[in-house]
Amino acid sequence: MVTKEAGRTIHEAVIADFRSSLRGELLTPVDDAYDAARTVWNAMIDNRPALIARCRGAADVMAAVNFTRDHGLTLSIKGGGHNVSGKAVCNDGLMLDLSLMKSIHIDPVGRTARVDPGVLWGELD
């Protein structure tokens, strides 16, 4: 069970259902990739979300936002990991890790770019 901020719990079966609904990974503190996923550029930030949804697309984002709302969790959002203040990584809630979403679509005629939230400036440039 994962402890929520209000002291209640989310049962493992509910977490397993959520995990199976995602194309990306759902990490908990016991997973090997958890510490790397919660790391941001500012190394002074050491927050520990209860869950990390490593989203692969918009459907994962929608599922994670709905899960967060339905279970009363705090939500934080990590894009490229450069959030200096540390607000990209919450404590005890659900962190959306959008760093794997790196699609870039350029429309040379319209002179526009559509960029996913995990793209870093150097990748776009």
Side-chain angles (χ1 to χ4, degrees):
M1 295 184 214
V2 174
T3 302
K4 296 187 341 181
E5 295 100 333
R8 295 172 287 166
T9 58
I10 301 172
H11 294 279
E12 291 297 330
V14 174
I15 294 169
D17 286 344
F18 176 43
R19 179 178 278 122
S20 69
S21 75
L22 300 173
R23 277 188 24 221
E25 296 176 281
L26 182 66
L27 303 175
T28 65
V30 299
D31 293 309
D32 290 338
Y34 175 83
D35 283 325
R38 71 183 182 89
T39 300
V40 290
W41 177 79
N42 182 352
M44 291 175 40
I45 305 304
D46 191 28
N47 294 345
R48 301 185 63 82
L51 299 166
I52 300 174
R54 302 201 72 207
C55 300
R56 292 282 183 180
D60 283 356
V61 173
M62 290 186 290
V65 168
N66 289 335
F67 183 87
T68 302
R69 183 192 60 238
D70 293 347
H71 296 284
L73 295 172
T74 297
L75 175 67
S76 66
I77 302 170
K78 175 185 170 187
H82 286 93
N83 182 275
V84 175
S85 68
K87 301 218 185 291
V89 185
C90 61
N91 276 314
D92 300 321
L94 187 143
M95 181 183 90
L96 289 182
D97 179 0
L98 306 179
S99 66
L100 301 177
M101 296 174 63
K102 294 200 171 270
S103 180
I104 301 172
H105 300 280
I106 305 293
D107 176 0
V109 174
R111 299 181 59 140
T112 60
R114 191 174 66 217
V115 183
D116 276 356
V119 174
L120 301 177
W121 180 250
E123 295 165 333
L124 178 62
D125 193 35

